[in-house]
Amino acid sequence: MLVPDPKVVRGLLTRYASLQIALAEKRTPEGARELEDVSYTLCVMMATRGVHEAVAAGDALLLAGSGRAGLREPDGGGAVPLPV
């Protein structure tokens, strides 16, 4: 399986978040179209059908690249939040 370039994924996730914020403040047809394009690109790049899954997969990819992946709570629960 091909792994997307983390730099490209980071850029798409940043653009996705920025567009979400901008559209929450003021909805424009251009902004909505760009968000649709970025969402589609994220889905294709992360091999998912929905943007929420694509964002989660992108976050996981970036987390794995940061060396923080796989950290678990002692009880086997979710990932341990690390200070930034």
Side-chain angles (χ1 to χ4, degrees):
M1 182 170 125
L2 294 175
V3 178
D5 182 346
K7 291 177 187 175
V8 175
V9 173
R10 184 182 314 280
L12 286 169
L13 289 173
T14 299
R15 190 69 190 137
Y16 176 81
S18 296
L19 287 165
Q20 288 279 38
I21 292 167
L23 287 171
E25 293 174 356
K26 182 180 181 187
R27 188 129 184 115
T28 64
E30 298 83 13
R33 177 65 182 157
E34 189 173 353
L35 179 63
E36 186 178 313
D37 289 347
V38 169
S39 298
Y40 174 81
T41 303
L42 270 170
C43 288
V44 169
M45 187 166 286
M46 301 312 301
T48 63
R49 290 186 176 207
V51 72
H52 298 292
E53 294 91 352
V55 169
D59 286 342
L61 175 71
L62 296 178
L63 185 60
S66 73
R68 295 183 181 181
L71 295 177
R72 295 276 177 203
E73 294 176 4
D75 67 356
V80 177
L82 298 173
V84 178

